[in-house]
Amino acid sequence: MKISKLLAGALAFSVLTAGCANKTASATSTPSSASTAASQSTASASSSAANTPSASPAAEADDAEAKAKEYLAKMDLTSKIEQMMVPAVKKWNGENFTAMNDEVAAILSNYHFGCIILFAENMTSDSAQAINLTQSMQINTVNGGGAPLFMGTDQECGNVYRLLSGTDMPSSMALTATGNPQNAYDTGTIISKELKALGFNLDYAPDLDVNANPANPVIGIRSYSDDGATVAEYAKQFTQAMMSNNIIATGKHFPGHGDTATDSHTGLPQVNKTKDELESTDLVPFKQAVQDGTEMIMSAHIQYPNIESGTYTSIKDGSQVYLPSTLSHTMITDILRNELGFKGVITTDSLQMDAIKANFSTRDSSRLAINAGVDCLLMPVDIADGSASANLDAYIGDIVDMVNDGEISIDTIDDAVTRILTLKYRRGIMDMQYNEGTTNTLLANAAGAVGTADNYAVNRKISDASVTMLQNSNNIIPYTVPEGGRIVMLTPNASQSNAFGYAFNRLTDENVVTANAIGIPISEDYGNRYQTAYNAIAGSDLVIVSSIMFDATNINFYQSGVIYYMVLLIEHAKELGIPVVAVSTGVPYDAPLLTEADAVLCTYNWIGAPSVDENWVPTQAYAESLPAAMDVIFGKVKATGKLPVNIYNIDNGSFTSDVVWPRGYSLQ
């Protein structure tokens, strides 16, 4: 019996969860002389110079750099500064910015930005919407006289994904759990092809962070592992797939965000490692990425007092803070450029994050970042309403003044812009056409490339392979559903209950679950509907409970409603003698809190199905991680995943040094 809405109690859930005055503003004007080569090329929208065989990589690089320098020679100082800027327009006048308007068109025409970054706020479940937005941004930029844009987004997948019409592939940690680096390559292939089909040429992924601190509040499942060599290998496969499909990959967050206890979105982290300690752990993936030819690296807003001695008086409280990596010449130039030998483009992380914005003046953060050696200034100012032009003019004007006053060298600016333009030429971005015809070509091809059944089939296969079994008392898994069996699935939010409902129906259709079984997914909404979930357990044949650990605040379950209520539900099921399976859906470090369950599984992704129709079929991008747990529970596949990290014991709300389950562990 398929799940009905009357049995469910789950709600629809929406997720996602992190110029000059003399320039003319025209969205349809003829390209100016500054962009004739870029806008009048005969290259098609589906191919680029980067895909054309050349005499040798070195010759191609030399040719791209020569073209970049020729283009640079025609640029004024203001345009050079704009080329280093990477703004976002998440919202406009308080509404999600999903379609071009006259005000933003004028901004793109007037300011020659080097890149635009799009977020989930810029997307809908319609691929045509994404294509129209990316292409209108390119057209307005080029028609206004600017160089074609890096068009970027954060499509890491797992819990960080932006393409709502695409395929939310498994998280980095889930990929490593499969034990097969080919899965990272296949994931990178699908992501890059979908990005390209929607008009993107740049992905701010993969994470090269080594998740050495289980209490890390911001990286977690975005990291491949707590082992540097493992991170390096899986990130390499992902990056190579990206490059093979002409998408620029970005290794982040240099020199590593995996050992922090503070989220740089909300604070300024500090890591007290020495240079030697950093080289033996966090820098391992970055060294490998540089050797493998990665083209872009993102910096981290992290203080390293044992490496960087420069300080700054915080505008927040007057305290002395160390220059974070993003603003550190030692980190960016001395280590990344000179020691590691990275010659590509370096971008900051968002300069709107509190680590920078709350501690450094806007003028000083731009000066320090540029002098540190970064090339791209990510989200330097807020662009959200009619004040955008004034904000931009003030920001650009400050940098112009600092160059003219000698606080920033023009050579530093020229070097940065040359690297940006060189990469654009090398990847064929400068030779692409951006017009109605190319937009229509993308629109015609999107359905066959984005969010397809084939892509989700690969997603399911990899997700199934990632599920890791840590406990299976009495061999409760695989579970055979009895005739008329009643399966209760308790989750902390509607997105997860949607995913369980979808998976239960799918397994019924596949004859894995008996057709007259009853599935009851219930969203507990973080305790608000706890009593409903509690009451549903009685009379069931099997209870499945999912938990989420976002960060270390969850390990003391008396202070965390999410895990606290999940544990109470597990205990209630056990009191009634009903078998119960616990599914860890975030970072797997909560597993020691779930061992009262008969079985414990890890899936490494808390995203479910944010939106479903009346038949529980997802209507936008969704994750296959929870459905994969269902595939394992009911015996469609075996649990073959292995832990990508060490799991530590938890004592009174704190991690101990005792390893409960070591990296590589699997019960089967």
Side-chain angles (χ1 to χ4, degrees):
M1 175 178 174
K2 288 193 177 182
I3 300 165
S4 72
K5 286 291 182 181
L6 293 176
L7 290 172
L11 304 175
F13 183 79
S14 178
V15 73
L16 291 175
T17 80
C20 297
N22 63 348
K23 293 182 181 177
T24 59
S26 172
T28 59
S29 61
T30 302
S32 69
S33 59
S35 63
T36 52
S39 61
Q40 298 300 319
S41 167
T42 58
S44 71
S46 59
S47 63
S48 72
N51 292 327
T52 303
S54 59
S56 70
E60 184 180 65
D62 290 343
D63 183 54
E65 185 174 357
K67 290 179 178 178
K69 289 181 177 179
E70 181 179 354
Y71 193 103
L72 179 77
K74 301 175 183 178
M75 300 173 71
D76 59 23
L77 177 57
T78 298
S79 293
K80 292 175 183 178
I81 294 167
E82 291 165 353
Q83 190 64 200
M84 297 175 68
M85 295 172 64
V86 185
V89 191
K90 290 186 180 182
K91 293 179 179 290
W92 189 261
N93 291 330
E95 301 292 330
N96 284 357
F97 181 71
T98 57
M100 185 59 63
N101 60 39
D102 291 342
E103 297 94 333
V104 176
I107 290 171
L108 292 169
S109 296
N110 286 344
Y111 300 88
H112 298 165
F113 300 128
C115 179
I116 296 286
I117 180 172
L118 299 185
F119 289 86
E121 290 88 342
N122 302 119
M123 303 290 173
T124 71
S125 57
D126 181 12
S127 291
Q129 173 271 325
I131 290 169
N132 283 320
L133 184 59
T134 61
Q135 297 312 288
S136 64
M137 287 182 158
Q138 291 282 19
I139 290 169
N140 280 284
T141 297
V142 172
N143 285 356
L149 296 161
F150 285 138
M151 186 61 64
T153 193
D154 296 289
Q155 188 72 356
E156 297 177 16
C157 286
N159 64 310
V160 179
Y161 69 99
R162 312 303 189 202
L163 306 186
L164 301 188
S165 64
T167 309
D168 182 19
M169 296 296 290
S171 71
S172 297
M173 197 169 282
L175 294 175
T176 304
T178 69
N180 185 358
Q182 179 65 39
N183 288 325
Y185 189 92
D186 293 344
T187 293
T189 297
I190 287 175
I191 293 173
S192 56
K193 288 183 176 180
E194 291 192 343
L195 286 168
K196 190 173 183 179
L198 296 179
F200 292 92
N201 51 43
L202 167 65
D203 191 10
Y204 290 106
D207 278 44
L208 300 181
D209 306 302
V210 180
N211 205 63
N213 182 359
N216 191 312
V218 65
I219 302 302
I221 60 174
R222 300 167 65 189
S223 167
Y224 290 100
S225 176
D226 57 9
D227 173 70
T230 302
V231 173
E233 176 58 26
Y234 280 79
K236 174 182 179 179
Q237 297 300 321
F238 182 95
T239 300
Q240 287 183 341
M242 285 273 165
M243 294 175 70
S244 294
N245 288 289
N246 209 27
I247 295 292
I248 299 163
T250 306
K252 58 188 189 184
H253 308 79
F254 182 83
H257 213 312
D259 202 11
T260 58
T262 301
D263 183 350
S264 52
H265 291 84
T266 58
L268 181 55
Q270 180 170 308
V271 173
N272 294 313
K273 288 182 176 179
T274 65
K275 175 78 177 307
D276 288 343
E277 290 172 329
L278 204 63
E279 288 183 338
S280 65
T281 54
D282 302 79
L283 286 182
V284 171
F286 289 97
K287 290 179 180 178
Q288 184 67 52
V290 172
Q291 293 173 11
D292 293 336
T294 195
E295 296 170 310
M296 186 175 290
I297 287 177
M298 177 183 287
S299 65
H301 305 325
I302 302 174
Q303 304 171 88
Y304 290 89
N306 290 320
I307 300 173
E308 171 58 67
S309 59
T311 60
Y312 182 87
T313 302
S314 171
I315 62 173
K316 179 172 67 175
D317 56 17
S319 64
Q320 293 296 302
V321 297
Y322 291 95
L323 296 180
S325 179
T326 294
L327 310 181
S328 167
H329 188 276
T330 299
M331 283 293 189
I332 300 300
T333 295
D334 293 347
I335 296 178
L336 181 53
R337 289 277 187 220
N338 296 338
E339 292 186 20
L340 270 63
F342 182 61
K343 300 184 184 301
V345 174
I346 299 174
T347 178
T348 70
D349 204 340
S350 171
L351 297 173
Q352 294 293 302
M353 292 161 62
D354 277 355
I356 302 298
K357 189 174 183 179
N359 291 285
F360 297 83
S361 73
T362 302
R363 180 186 178 98
D364 286 342
S365 65
S366 64
R367 172 179 56 82
L368 289 165
I370 293 170
N371 285 338
V374 301
D375 306 310
C376 295
L377 304 164
L378 182 62
M379 300 171 65
V381 295
D382 191 31
I383 299 179
D385 52 35
S387 66
S389 292
N391 295 338
L392 288 165
D393 289 344
Y395 187 84
I396 295 165
D398 278 347
I399 298 177
V400 169
D401 289 343
M402 286 187 282
V403 173
N404 290 334
D405 293 342
E407 295 180 72
I408 298 174
S409 168
I410 185 60
D411 290 340
T412 300
I413 298 287
D414 285 349
D415 288 345
V417 177
T418 298
R419 283 188 287 266
I420 292 168
L421 293 173
T422 297
L423 182 52
K424 287 184 177 182
Y425 274 113
R426 186 177 298 138
R427 280 291 164 194
I429 296 169
M430 298 291 282
D431 298 317
M432 293 281 286
Q433 287 190 61
Y434 301 97
N435 54 38
E436 184 178 354
T438 54
T439 300
N440 288 337
T441 299
L442 290 174
L443 290 170
N445 295 332
V450 181
T452 64
D454 286 345
N455 288 355
Y456 270 101
V458 176
N459 189 357
R460 185 181 187 183
K461 180 180 178 181
I462 296 174
S463 296
D464 281 350
S466 73
V467 178
T468 307
M469 181 180 290
L470 301 182
Q471 181 170 295
N472 191 22
S473 301
N474 301 316
N475 293 318
I476 191 67
I477 295 175
Y479 182 81
T480 301
V481 181
E483 290 295 320
R486 186 172 183 269
I487 311 301
V488 175
M489 296 157 276
L490 307 177
T491 72
N493 59 50
S495 179
Q496 289 199 1
S497 62
N498 287 344
F500 273 139
Y502 168 66
F504 189 88
N505 277 1
R506 184 169 65 179
L507 289 170
T508 302
D509 290 340
E510 295 170 346
N511 296 318
V512 175
V513 172
T514 181
N516 63 357
I518 300 172
I520 309 175
I522 295 179
S523 166
E524 197 206 329
D525 293 334
Y526 300 98
N528 293 331
R529 303 182 68 249
Y530 170 74
Q531 197 61 48
T532 300
Y534 183 94
N535 293 340
I537 292 174
S540 60
D541 293 284
L542 176 70
V543 174
I544 302 170
V545 177
S546 62
S547 73
I548 301 176
M549 173 177 273
F550 295 113
D551 57 55
T553 61
N554 295 142
I555 64 175
N556 185 341
F557 63 82
Y558 290 110
Q559 297 178 5
S560 168
V562 181
I563 295 181
Y564 174 70
Y565 288 114
M566 297 296 105
V567 171
L568 290 183
L569 293 171
I570 291 171
E571 291 176 345
H572 180 53
K574 296 299 293 181
E575 289 170 356
L576 297 177
I578 299 170
V580 57
V581 176
V583 183
S584 167
T585 65
V587 287
Y589 304 115
D590 62 344
L593 302 176
L594 307 176
T595 54
E596 287 195 41
D598 295 282
V600 178
L601 302 175
C602 299
T603 65
Y604 316 101
N605 188 9
W606 60 76
I607 301 299
S611 176
V612 295
D613 64 17
E614 65 276 8
N615 296 313
W616 297 83
V617 177
T619 57
Q620 68 175 60
Y622 69 95
E624 281 282 0
S625 53
L626 282 172
M630 296 283 278
D631 286 348
V632 168
I633 292 169
F634 296 110
K636 183 175 179 64
V637 299
K638 292 184 178 181
T640 59
K642 300 181 184 299
L643 281 175
V645 294
N646 290 316
I647 305 297
Y648 298 91
N649 193 25
I650 297 171
D651 183 26
N652 292 322
S654 298
F655 289 112
T656 72
S657 59
D658 298 327
V659 176
V660 181
W661 294 289
R663 184 191 318 116
Y665 176 85
S666 176
L667 190 61
Q668 294 187 352

